[in-house]
Structures are given as structure tokens and as C-alpha cells.
């Protein structure tokens, strides 16, 4: 299985330097401040007032855009999912060169995102923002998952119709495998655990075993 790397240089080490606040760009300044604080303290380790102070604005300024801390975190997480979707979409490449290889590329992109965007990753999956109160965040997450589901649908269609596993079940399993390995072994922050092999190799092996169990293999 060819699992090419997909990542973005220049974002590692977030928190070493934040863009200064410019009048008229308060929302983005607060998001950048929140990302720096997430990198330093985790998604639950700071207040709106700390984000305001880090952005260089008054404690009341954030409330022009965010009604509370959850709203700020929801916007950070939504932005993270939009970047994540772009990572996965590029990796999937409309199923090229074939759906088996492209699915592997999606898995590597998942790990690459966790490694290069740890603050966004924490906001997306660890902030505990209530999705029912932030439908735009739920929709952003659903769009990312839809890429994994599309990959599984296309791969499932390589089997005879009466032997195809449910694509939703496959997508949930692949997502769970990718997320577990990313969270444990591919983070770009202090939450990283050591592994006697690369996270990419571990995920590739797990997905190969899973797909073989479903009767799916390299074309």
C-alpha cells in the first residue's frame, strides 16, 4: 500500500510567535491567541480573558465576536476542521491512482494533520464543545468524515454487490483506527507517546489487516 505523506511545513512549534493584532482583524487575532494558549496549556487551560490579553486587547473585546469561551473554541475547532478537510481532500485526490492507494494516503494525511497542527487537533477533538449548540462546527466535522466515507464507498464497490460491507461501518472503523493512532503516537505536542515503529507503519498494518478481513486487497 502506498501511503504518501501529506503535511504542511511551517506550522510546527506554534506558540513560538504569534501575529500581532491589527485593528479590524480581532476575530483572527483571538483565534491565533487561543491556538497559542492551547499549545501551551491545552484546550481547557485558559480563559477568554487570557486570550484577550494574549491578543493585546481589552477583556471585553472578545465578546464583540464570541458570546462565551465555547463560542471561541467552536470557531477555532471549525477552522481546524476546514484545514483538516483540505488535508484529506488533497490526499484522497478523487481516488487516484486507485481507491486502495488513495485510502492509504488519507490515513497518512490524518496522521500528518495531528503532527503539524496539534493545537487545532486538540480544539477539534478535546475541547468538549457542545455540537448541538454549534451546528457549523458539526457540519465542518461531517464534511471531513464524508471524505473518509467516500473513500470507503469507492473501495467497497470493487467487490461484488452482494459481498460489499456497509461503507458507513467501514468509514467509522477506518476513522477510529486513524484517530486512535494519531492521538496516541502522531501528535506534535507533549501528548506524544513513543512507539517502536512509525505511526504510518502501524496504521498501514492495521488497515491492511482490516481490509483483508473484509475481502479487500490491493487491486
Amino acid at each position: 500500500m502506498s501511503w504518501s505523506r501529506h503535511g504542511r511545513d511551517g506550522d510546527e512549534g506554534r506558540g513560538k510567535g504569534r501575529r500581532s493584532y491589527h485593528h479590524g482583524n480581532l476575530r483572527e487575532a483571538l483565534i491565533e491567541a487561543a491556538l497559542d494558549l492551547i499549545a501551551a496549556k491545552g484546550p481547557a487551560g485558559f480563559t477568554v480573558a487570557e486570550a484577550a490579553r494574549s491578543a493585546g486587547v481589552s477583556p471585553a473585546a472578545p465578546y464583540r465576536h464570541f458570546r462565551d469561551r465555547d463560542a471561541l473554541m467552536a470557531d477555532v475547532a471549525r477552522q481546524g476542521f476546514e484545514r483538516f478537510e483540505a488535508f484529506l481532500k488533497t490526499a484522497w485526490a478523487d481516488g487516484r491512482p486507485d481507491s486502495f492507494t488513495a485510502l492509504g494516503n488519507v490515513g497518512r494525511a490524518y496522521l500528518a494533520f495531528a503532527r503539524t497542527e496539534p493545537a487545532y487537533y486538540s480544539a477539534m477533538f478535546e475541547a468538549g464543545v457542545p455540537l448541538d449548540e454549534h451546528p457549523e462546527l458539526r457540519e465542518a466535522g461531517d464534511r471531513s468524515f464524508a471524505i473518509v466515507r467516500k473513500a470507503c464507498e469507492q473501495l467497497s464497490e470493487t467487490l461484488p454487490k452482494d459481498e460489499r460491507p456497509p461503507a458507513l461501518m467501514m468509514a467509522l472503523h477506518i476513522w477510529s483506527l486513524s484517530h486512535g493512532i494519531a492521538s496516541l503516537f502522531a501528535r506534535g505536542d507533549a501528548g506524544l507517546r513513543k512507539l517502536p515503529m512509525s505511526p504510518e507503519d502501524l496504521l498501514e498494518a492495521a488497515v491492511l489487516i482490516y481490509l483483508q478481513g473484509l475481502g479487500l486487497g490491493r487491486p
Side-chain angles (χ1 to χ4, degrees):
M1 183 184 292
S2 174
W3 291 50
S4 62
R5 292 181 181 274
H6 290 265
R8 211 159 46 91
D9 295 330
D11 283 331
E12 292 175 284
R14 182 181 291 280
K16 293 180 180 178
R18 180 180 50 78
R19 299 189 195 99
S20 59
Y21 167 63
H22 296 285
H23 182 68
N25 197 27
L26 176 59
R27 177 184 289 270
E28 285 304 312
L30 289 166
I31 288 173
E32 285 290 325
L35 286 166
D36 289 350
L37 289 164
I38 291 168
K41 300 183 176 185
F46 66 94
T47 64
V48 173
E50 285 180 279
R53 184 163 59 249
S54 180
V57 299
S58 72
Y63 298 101
R64 300 176 197 171
H65 294 287
F66 305 107
R67 70 174 184 270
D68 54 24
R69 188 181 182 283
D70 274 355
L72 171 58
M73 292 301 297
D75 216 33
V76 174
R78 176 194 56 77
Q79 195 174 93
F81 272 115
E82 289 173 355
R83 289 173 177 249
F84 188 49
E85 180 187 1
F87 257 60
L88 299 185
K89 188 174 183 179
T90 298
W92 170 238
D94 292 324
R96 296 189 298 269
D98 60 76
S99 55
F100 190 86
T101 301
L103 177 63
N105 292 339
V106 169
R108 279 195 177 267
Y110 203 119
L111 301 185
F113 186 88
R115 181 180 293 113
T116 61
E117 297 283 13
Y120 274 123
Y121 189 83
S122 291
M124 292 155 56
F125 296 114
E126 299 168 5
V129 176
L131 296 179
D132 289 343
E133 296 177 19
H134 299 278
E136 71 288 349
L137 174 56
R138 181 189 293 278
E139 290 164 8
D142 288 347
R143 288 194 301 271
S144 297
F145 178 72
I147 296 170
V148 181
R149 183 168 183 174
K150 175 63 177 176
C152 291
E153 287 173 350
Q154 192 162 315
L155 189 57
S156 176
E157 287 169 2
T158 63
L159 290 174
K161 192 170 183 178
D162 60 349
E163 297 177 14
R164 294 174 188 171
L168 176 58
M169 178 197 74
M170 283 181 64
L172 290 169
H173 288 162
I174 296 294
W175 184 283
S176 299
L177 280 170
S178 302
H179 185 73
I181 291 171
S183 296
L184 289 170
F185 305 115
R187 301 174 65 111
D189 59 17
L192 179 67
R193 288 169 170 79
K194 301 299 181 183
L195 185 67
M197 65 186 75
S198 74
E200 289 78 12
D201 286 347
L202 180 62
L203 181 57
E204 179 177 5
V207 172
L208 280 171
I209 292 168
Y210 174 71
L211 294 180
Q212 286 170 358
L214 295 176
L216 291 160
R218 181 181 294 279

